[in-house]
């Protein structure tokens, strides 16, 4: 049995949601119900601890090529207005580099060529968006753990924060994960999707895949990874754009 046995749906129980409620309704609709919101917040800590206890290092399910979705929707921002980003995109990201900094021994600036030269992991997984759609796609890139090992974490590092090139209004998109997910074997920095270089709509040149969590955690347009001791003091302090703006859960394990 997998860790999915203790899914959020089960922990919340049919009582709070009605049978299949979480599956059939979009997150925005669910958010309107105060009862649902309370149930989610109350269950969240339990859910995270239970998944960590029981699933431990369990892998998200991986699929066969034949199961890949014919269409993979692009969601959220599908392009980036930032002038520096646009210049890099026009140049095929040849001059672009991923910054890794914060609580690390060796801050890095890794060009795409360096990320492609690292040992690669490819995985076919299902992406679940809280807006009510899923798609199965193939992702490839180095494991985040390799990049973090190159940078060398300082003892106080607790979170990896992904700073993105895009914004909603004035607010940049960002996301964060703890070190358990950062070092999970399926957590990769994907530069390839479905056998092609990552398209701009899906987060070129680099996006996070953190396969045991919901879609909004999978930061696209990752420009910088910052290692931090705390999420306090960063934007709204809740660890992600939607966590700050939309009351989404920081721990979005599925
Ligand atoms: N930088 C950035 N990352 C993002 C988003 C975004 O708008 N900007 N949207 C999130 C959401 S809600 C989802 S479902 C997925 C969508 O990824 P896709 O466009 O490859 O389908 O990206 C996530 N990561
Ligand atoms: Mo999403």
């Amino acid at each position: 049995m997998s860790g999915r046995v203790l899914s959020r749906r089960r922990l919340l129980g049919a009582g709070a949601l009605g049978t299949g409620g979480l599956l059939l309704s979009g997150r925005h609709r669910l958010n309107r119900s105060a009862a649902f919101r309370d149930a989610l917040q109350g269950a969240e800590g339990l859910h995270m601890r239970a998944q960590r206890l029981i699933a431990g290092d369990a892998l998200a399910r991986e699929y066969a090529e034949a199961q890949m979705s014919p269409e993979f929707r692009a969601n959220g921002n599908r392009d980036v207005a930032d002038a520096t980003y646009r210049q890099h995109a026009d140049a095929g990201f040849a001059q672009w580099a991923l910054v890794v900094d914060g609580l690390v021994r060796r801050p890095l600036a890794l060009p795409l060529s360096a990320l492609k030269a690292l040992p690669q992991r490819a995985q076919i997984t299902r992406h679940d968006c809280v807006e009510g759609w899923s798609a199965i796609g193939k992702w490839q890139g180095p494991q985040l753990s390799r990049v973090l090992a190159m940078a060398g974490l300082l003892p106080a590092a607790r979170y990896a924060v992904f700073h993105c090139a895009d914004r909603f209004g004035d607010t940049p998109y960002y996301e964060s994960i703890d070190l358990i997910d950062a070092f999970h074997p399926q957590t990769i920095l994907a530069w390839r999707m479905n056998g092609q270089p990552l398209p701009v709509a899906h987060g070129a040149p680099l996006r996070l895949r953190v396969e045991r969590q919901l879609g909004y955690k999978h930061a696209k347009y990752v420009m910088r990874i910052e290692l931090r001791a705390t999420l306090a003091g960063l934007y709204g302090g809740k660890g992600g754009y939607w966590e700050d703006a939309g009351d989404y859960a920081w721990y979005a394990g599925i």
Side-chain angles (χ1 to χ4, degrees), residues 21-38:
L22 188 59
L23 262 189
L24 297 174
S25 315
R27 178 66 189 248
H28 296 299
R29 205 172 113 208
L30 290 169
N31 263 346
R32 271 190 235 130
S33 147
F36 172 77
R37 217 170 37 236
D38 291 347

Side-chain angles (χ1 to χ4, degrees), residues 8 39-49 248-252:
R8 174 180 308 241
L40 184 62
Q41 283 169 356
E44 182 165 3
L46 168 65
H47 168 66
M48 175 168 163
R49 286 193 297 276
Y248 284 24
W250 177 77
Y251 185 72

Side-chain angles (χ1 to χ4, degrees), residues 161-164 172-176 234-241 244:
V161 176
F162 303 86
H163 294 280
C164 306
Y173 200 93
Y174 79 105
E175 257 303 339
S176 62
L234 180 66
Y235 300 109
K238 292 185 180 163
Y241 174 79
D244 289 339

